[in-house]
Amino acid sequence: MENFDFAAPADVYISDRGYRRHPLRYLRFERSADAIRHVMECENADAVVVVETDDHRAGRAGIRQMYLSAEYPLQRHPAERSRT
């Protein structure tokens, strides 16, 4: 993702399937790189997720694109690199 600041603070909104049974969760990260890593490595793949900074908002597909980009500054989990 062009011009994305991986050091910027990020808000993460997560809703698991069946919203009525699983309320919306909110997480705050000091660095968006950590937020992206959390979504890709810790959250259920079926969850609806949005990562938001002051300048960008991304859903699951955009988060995945940032995580797999050459500019992503953190080490990726080996299992995530091989997923499509």
Side-chain angles (χ1 to χ4, degrees):
M1 181 169 249
E2 198 172 305
N3 298 325
F4 186 78
D5 183 4
F6 287 100
D11 300 311
V12 179
Y13 302 92
I14 305 156
S15 177
D16 293 317
R17 287 185 166 218
Y19 178 77
R20 290 181 183 178
R21 291 182 302 184
H22 303 281
L24 184 67
R25 291 184 287 138
Y26 168 79
L27 301 170
R28 175 81 173 162
F29 290 85
E30 291 297 316
R31 297 183 310 168
S32 56
D34 294 321
I36 292 165
R37 173 189 271 168
H38 174 81
V39 169
M40 294 302 299
E41 297 180 6
C42 300
E43 291 299 329
N44 182 339
D46 291 336
V48 176
V49 180
V50 173
V51 171
E52 187 176 76
T53 67
D54 285 339
D55 298 331
H56 291 87
R57 179 182 290 168
R60 177 75 67 179
I63 295 165
R64 181 172 207 53
Q65 181 182 7
M66 289 184 282
Y67 182 77
L68 297 175
S69 76
E71 292 81 27
Y72 183 72
L74 304 177
Q75 186 172 1
R76 295 169 195 86
H77 188 277
E80 287 299 326
R81 277 189 272 174
S82 63
R83 283 179 160 183
T84 311

